[in-house]
């Protein structure tokens, strides 16, 4: 294993114990477990940040020490390097990852990120979050995550196919329909999943049933589930519908801004619009746009499909980054990458609720500012759990050779989201804590119960 980079982002996170620091209570980024396990000292390190939020919840609920250390590190960290022939005949070496965080509740489960800036620490954090998410939302899976250090938009379809199939071959012995089940994530899509399923099926031709169940998020034509493509956005909306009334916000007419307009952002926008909300500002890597009268979420999704981002969309004004964050809305949905809502962004935000569509979009320092400003955060392990929940339905359909209609998928998803939101609400009441801590407690309670009966071998 190579050492992961300290942090991708500039060190703007509040340092501990600074005079005038808004932090109250124990500093989120120190914990005896970090020293015991030799964690990186950098408070901006994503893995340290992610685990620190869990440890805060673990301390509050008195989680046994052995579970804290087991959950603070992944079980397996797999890194592969593999050569692929480019269209011009030259070979390039690619790096791929699969981190298997925990499988106490079932097979490892989680997406594959295709991004030029993916590092081991990102993958570890995301795998960790999958364990928590699957536990909270009540599916029988553990947590895993993987990826390839590649910019999928810079390769031809033929090159991507060779990259994806070669990566699948490199990790084929480490995954399986009953062991570790990948899925799409940032930069990967249903076509990539189809190539993975096909390659894995080819490699495992002599044995195994339903080899296509090795991966979810497949095209509907090849073992995919209806409703999987929109599932994460649907889950964000289901969570909002469940949580907004107690915050005295009506979804009808509610104003929304969205950061990132890929799968999660665009489906959240479209479904929210269908429910009567108004999308008034959107930003991605190509620019920021606003229209107080409402941006047509469907037209914007089509524009992004054609032009690769929101930049240049007609029927909206071009705004700058600061204006985007300062736009007055009821709900802000970060649906892009990790660590995007740091202290400066949190200070600028003019919203009542942050609904985390992305994984780990808010840093601990950003979160402290939001808390101080009375902005409610619906944490990612609850809010964006819709994707993996429908992945579970896809896996069940593959395993039972059945196909569900969309109504059944949406109905079952809604049940899981409402149940998970209920667990978070109960934990918040019982432990008098914020929603993120409550969500971790909800997840940890199920893991604790499983470990109590399973024990730790030998
Ligand atoms: N990549 C998605 C997530 O972060 C989905 C994972 C899955 O379906 O396994 O939740």
């Amino acid at each position: 294993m190579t050492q992961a980079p300290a942090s991708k982002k500039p060190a703007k996170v509040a340092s501990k114990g600074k005079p005038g620091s808004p932090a109250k209570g124990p500093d989120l980024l120190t914990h005896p477990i970090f020293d015991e396990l030799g964690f990186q000292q950098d408070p901006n390190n994503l893995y340290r940040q992610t685990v620190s939020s869990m440890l805060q919840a673990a301390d509050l609920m008195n989680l046994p020490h052995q579970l804290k250390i087991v959950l603070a590190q992944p079980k397996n960290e797999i890194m592969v390097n593999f050569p692929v022939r480019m269209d011009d005949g030259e070979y390039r070496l690619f790096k791929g990852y699969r981190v298997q965080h925990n499988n106490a509740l079932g097979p490892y489960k989680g997406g594959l990120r295709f991004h030029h800036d993916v590092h081991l620490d990102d993958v570890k954090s995301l795998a960790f979050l999958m364990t928590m998410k699957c536990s909270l939302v009540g599916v029988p899976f553990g947590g895993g995550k993987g990826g390839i250090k590649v910019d999928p938009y810079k390769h031809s379809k033929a090159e991507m196919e060779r990259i994806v199939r070669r990566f699948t071959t490199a990790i084929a012995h480490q995954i399986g329909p009953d062991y570790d089940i990948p899925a799409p994530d940032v930069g990967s899509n249903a076509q990539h999943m189809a190539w993975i399923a096909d390659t894995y099926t080819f490699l495992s031709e002599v044995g195994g049933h339903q080899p296509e169940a090795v991966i979810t998020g497949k095209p509907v034509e090849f073992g995919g589930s209806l409703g999987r493509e929109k599932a994460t956005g649907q889950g964000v909306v289901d969570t909002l519908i469940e949580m907004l009334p107690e915050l005295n916000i009506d979804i009808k007419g509610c104003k929304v801004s969205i950061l990132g307009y890929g799968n999660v952002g665009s489906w959240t926008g479209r479904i929210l619009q269908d429910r009567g909300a108004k999308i008034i500002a959107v930003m991605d890597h190509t620019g920021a746009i606003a229209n107080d009268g409402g941006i047509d979420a469907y037209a914007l999704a089509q524009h992004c499909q054609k032009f690769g981002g929101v930049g240049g969309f007609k029927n909206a004004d071009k705004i700058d980054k600061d204006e985007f964050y300062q736009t007055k809305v009821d709900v802000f949905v970060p649906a892009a990458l990790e660590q995007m809502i740091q202290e400066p962004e949190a200070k600028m935000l003019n919203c009542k609720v942050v609904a985390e569509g992305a994984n780990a979009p808010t840093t601990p320092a950003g979160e402290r500012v939001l808390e101080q400003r009375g902005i409610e955060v619906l944490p990612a392990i609850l809010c964006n759990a819709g994707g993996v929940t429908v992945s579970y339905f896809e896996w069940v359909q593959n395993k039972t050779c059945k196909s569900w209609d969309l109504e059944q998928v949406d109905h079952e998803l809604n049940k899981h989201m409402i149940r998970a939101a209920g667990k978070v609400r109960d934990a918040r009441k019982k432990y008098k804590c914020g929603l993120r801590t409550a969500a971790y407690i909800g997840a940890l309670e199920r893991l604790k119960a499983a470990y109590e009966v399973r024990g730790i071998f030998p």
Side-chain angles (χ1 to χ4, degrees):
M1 295 304 117
T2 58
Q3 187 73 349
S7 169
K8 293 188 288 185
K9 307 289 182 310
K12 280 190 182 161
V13 181
S15 61
K16 56 176 172 160
K18 241 190 183 167
S21 154
K24 48 180 172 13
D27 191 311
L28 282 174
L29 302 185
T30 58
H31 197 284
I33 298 274
F34 289 147
D35 298 329
E36 185 180 339
L37 302 181
F39 267 60
Q40 285 201 28
Q41 293 297 325
D42 180 5
N44 297 315
N45 176 269
L46 179 63
Y47 193 62
R48 189 177 174 108
Q49 289 183 354
T50 321
V51 174
S52 75
S53 305
M54 179 275 285
L55 288 173
Q56 213 196 13
D59 287 347
L60 199 58
M61 64 181 284
N62 282 323
L63 194 76
H65 173 261
Q66 69 269 22
L67 292 193
K68 287 183 194 165
I69 54 173
V70 164
L71 293 171
Q73 289 289 22
K75 277 200 176 172
N76 306 314
E77 300 172 27
I78 301 148
M79 281 172 76
V80 292
N81 295 289
F82 54 95
V84 180
R85 185 172 39 80
M86 299 291 97
D87 292 342
D88 63 6
E90 293 294 317
Y91 280 85
R92 266 188 58 190
L93 196 69
F94 290 86
K95 188 179 281 298
Y97 305 87
R98 187 69 188 169
V99 172
Q100 296 162 335
H101 178 261
N102 189 277
N103 61 351
L105 297 174
Y108 302 107
K109 183 84 190 85
L112 294 172
R113 176 166 297 196
F114 297 169
H115 195 270
H116 64 277
D117 197 21
V118 70
H119 294 284
L120 182 62
D121 258 26
D122 306 329
V123 185
K124 277 171 68 177
S125 306
L126 296 164
F128 165 88
L129 288 169
M130 288 309 301
T131 300
M132 298 297 146
K133 202 185 293 189
C134 290
S135 176
L136 180 65
V137 87
V139 295
F141 289 139
K145 202 80 171 199
I148 309 176
K149 205 172 175 61
V150 62
D151 183 344
Y153 305 103
K154 290 215 169 116
H155 290 276
S156 67
K157 192 173 175 187
E159 281 181 356
M160 269 322 283
E161 178 168 355
R162 290 195 292 275
I163 293 167
V164 169
R165 287 187 186 274
R166 191 66 171 75
F167 170 66
T168 309
T169 312
I171 62 161
H173 289 290
Q174 321 278 355
I175 59 174
D178 299 311
Y179 181 66
D180 182 359
I181 307 142
D185 195 74
V186 174
S188 58
N189 58 35
Q191 173 62 77
H192 301 142
M193 302 304 113
W195 289 329
I196 294 171
D198 183 69
T199 308
Y200 185 84
T201 305
F202 173 78
L203 293 172
S204 61
E205 215 149 53
V206 284
H209 300 293
Q210 299 95 24
E212 77 280 9
V214 69
I215 197 147
T216 58
K218 299 181 289 291
V220 176
E221 298 79 8
F222 177 29
S225 174
L226 291 172
R228 175 61 185 86
E229 203 203 310
K230 68 171 176 120
T232 310
Q234 183 70 57
V236 172
V237 179
D238 285 2
T239 309
L240 281 168
I241 290 173
E242 191 56 21
M243 303 297 270
L244 284 185
E246 62 193 70
L247 304 167
N248 290 322
I249 302 171
D250 190 350
I251 194 139
K252 279 208 168 52
C254 144
K255 289 188 173 181
V256 181
S257 61
I258 303 177
L259 174 62
Y261 214 69
N263 174 285
V264 181
S266 70
W267 278 111
T268 303
R270 282 175 274 185
I271 302 166
L272 276 174
Q273 181 173 301
D274 292 344
R275 304 300 296 237
K278 217 192 251 184
I279 315 305
I280 64 163
V282 182
M283 179 162 83
D284 70 4
H285 61 290
T286 63
I289 53 168
N291 181 346
D292 206 47
I295 294 167
D296 181 348
Y298 285 86
L300 184 59
Q302 267 173 5
H303 173 89
C304 290
Q305 200 75 34
K306 208 162 158 196
F307 300 104
V310 303
F313 182 68
K314 298 199 177 44
N315 307 325
D317 300 323
K318 189 170 179 260
I319 54 171
D320 67 27
K321 191 170 169 259
D322 288 4
E323 286 170 323
F324 169 76
Y325 285 115
Q326 286 158 359
T327 305
K328 189 173 183 333
V329 288
D330 298 293
V331 179
F332 165 62
V333 184
L337 294 172
E338 307 81 47
Q339 294 182 308
M340 295 191 84
I341 311 306
Q342 304 194 15
E343 240 182 313
E345 290 78 18
K347 281 182 181 155
M348 281 191 278
L349 278 174
N350 191 356
C351 63
K352 296 175 189 155
V353 182
V354 173
E356 293 187 338
N359 289 307
T362 314
T363 63
E367 179 141 17
R368 280 199 288 269
V369 173
L370 295 177
E371 195 191 336
Q372 215 190 19
R373 297 187 55 216
I375 296 172
E376 194 80 80
V377 179
L378 304 182
I381 62 165
L382 167 67
C383 207
N384 78 13
V388 74
T389 304
V390 178
S391 274
Y392 165 57
F393 302 156
E394 177 175 333
W395 182 79
V396 169
Q397 291 170 74
N398 293 161
K399 288 269 181 191
T400 56
C401 302
K402 283 189 176 143
S403 51
W404 300 4
D405 58 29
L406 185 59
E407 219 185 345
Q408 183 177 358
V409 171
D410 283 347
H411 176 70
E412 289 295 327
L413 170 61
N414 188 253
K415 267 185 11 199
H416 276 75
M417 298 309 297
I418 290 179
R419 215 181 294 139
K423 279 199 223 168
V424 177
R425 228 185 260 125
D426 291 350
R428 172 160 70 169
K429 219 164 152 192
K430 184 168 168 195
Y431 292 95
K432 298 188 182 18
C433 57
L435 286 177
R436 189 178 313 280
T437 303
Y440 276 120
I441 290 174
L444 292 171
E445 270 168 353
R446 184 167 166 229
L447 283 154
K448 179 172 173 258
Y451 270 104
E452 260 161 23
V453 286
R454 288 189 68 145
I456 295 175
F457 181 79

